[in-house]
Amino acid sequence: MTSTASTVAAPLAQAVGMAAVVLGVAVFLATRHVRSALGVLLDLLLAAGLLRLGTDQSWSAIASAAALVVVRKLAMSGVTTASRSREGATT
């Protein structure tokens, strides 16, 4: 990647990471659904991680992006399972 692209992508990755937190909270406050808010938060954090990976092509950057994918899958699976069990308990 060229140095110009790197100088743009690094601050953009930080901005997307900060937006992930703000928008995740906003989605939760608007919908009161943890699953939706968590999905927005983790998807935007993944986007920030991939932008960072474009500027820092190291094994640690690759590992952190891969770990975020695993965390996202596990968290969404856990939230889905919890909501299904809660729905089953109320019916």
Side-chain angles (χ1 to χ4, degrees):
M1 184 178 281
T2 65
S3 63
T4 304
S6 294
T7 58
V8 171
L12 186 59
Q14 288 180 335
V16 171
M18 288 185 272
V21 175
V22 171
L23 293 174
V25 170
V27 168
F28 177 73
L29 292 174
T31 64
R32 298 288 187 215
H33 290 117
V34 173
R35 184 173 188 219
S36 299
L38 191 61
V40 168
L41 173 71
L42 293 175
D43 282 346
L44 287 173
L45 286 177
L46 178 59
L50 293 175
L51 281 168
R52 187 175 140 252
L53 184 59
T55 62
D56 177 22
Q57 297 175 352
S58 66
W59 283 110
S60 64
I62 293 169
S64 66
L68 189 53
V69 171
V70 171
V71 167
R72 185 195 185 289
K73 291 291 185 182
L74 289 173
M76 294 306 289
S77 175
V79 169
T80 301
T81 302
S83 67
R84 284 185 184 158
S85 67
R86 198 171 354 122
E87 288 173 1
T90 60
T91 59

